[in-house]
Amino acid sequence: TQPWVCFLNSDCTIEDSGWLIEMGRSLMRLRGQGVQMVSARSNNPGSFVNSMLKAEKSDKRMTEDFILEDGHLPLYCALCHRDLFEHIGGFIKEYPYGWYEDEELAYRMSHYGFSQAICSKSWVRHEGAATIKALFKENPEAKEIMASNRDRCIADISLL
């Protein structure tokens, strides 16, 4: 029922009490520029993402928010307004076990004229792949299923 949606992976650790309010401030500040989702920076944003996301907590080099012109935000820690999903054809696509839902979401947002950005003042520690490693150990077939999600993502994007 709240207007804001925050995605936070289970392997993130919050070390700064201002992480969420700073993301909210960035989102509000950038809305006039078409930004509808922001992410915190992290020690481990994952592979295949914008290099501006990677930073240590003490890193103060990034002083301004950064609007992505290409690529996508991984959803380890992201904030958006709930009404975004009404404007882009629904919530995040469900791909079995995960992978590629963040990429599909970014393409869909872009298709409808919305952007994503990195909040310069928000940072979270991200272990990265903790849940996935446990899943693969318990269910080795899950890796193949998740890899095939790329084809699902491409098919979904081609429908835009």
Side-chain angles (χ1 to χ4, degrees):
T1 60
Q2 296 299 314
W4 303 103
V5 176
C6 180
F7 298 95
L8 185 64
N9 279 8
S10 61
D11 60 350
C12 285
T13 304
I14 305 304
E15 296 182 5
D16 178 9
S17 62
W19 70 281
L20 187 56
I21 193 71
E22 291 299 341
M23 286 187 0
R25 287 177 178 153
S26 291
L27 187 56
M28 296 305 294
R29 192 170 38 251
L30 298 171
R31 282 187 87 160
Q33 298 176 58
V35 172
Q36 294 293 315
M37 180 175 279
V38 296
S39 176
R41 296 185 307 148
S42 175
N43 62 306
N44 184 10
S47 56
F48 308 113
V49 297
N50 189 291
S51 63
M52 301 286 284
L53 279 166
K54 185 167 179 59
E56 292 304 319
K57 184 178 180 183
S58 61
D59 186 347
K60 304 292 185 207
R61 290 177 293 153
M62 186 175 170
T63 58
E64 307 237 350
D65 297 335
F66 181 80
I67 300 173
L68 298 180
E69 293 183 16
D70 59 354
H72 66 280
L73 295 176
L75 298 178
Y76 64 84
C77 180
L79 180 71
C80 66
H81 197 279
R82 183 177 299 282
D83 66 6
L84 168 67
F85 303 107
E86 294 175 20
H87 299 290
I88 63 169
F91 197 61
I92 294 174
K93 301 270 183 174
E94 290 187 36
Y95 296 131
Y97 301 111
W99 287 359
Y100 299 102
E101 64 280 345
D102 49 0
E103 191 171 342
E104 187 280 332
L105 177 65
Y107 273 96
R108 194 160 26 116
M109 286 178 65
S110 178
H111 176 78
Y112 288 99
F114 301 121
S115 299
Q116 298 179 334
I118 302 166
C119 175
S120 65
K121 295 181 180 175
S122 182
W123 186 90
V124 298
R125 181 169 306 283
H126 181 217
E127 171 89 18
T131 306
I132 298 299
K133 288 176 186 173
L135 172 66
F136 290 169
K137 187 175 182 180
E138 182 180 310
N139 182 359
E141 297 83 34
K143 189 171 188 175
E144 290 178 33
I145 293 169
M146 291 172 72
S148 70
N149 284 342
R150 182 176 188 277
D151 295 331
R152 289 180 183 90
C153 176
I154 291 169
D156 286 338
I157 290 169
S158 70
L159 294 174
L160 294 175

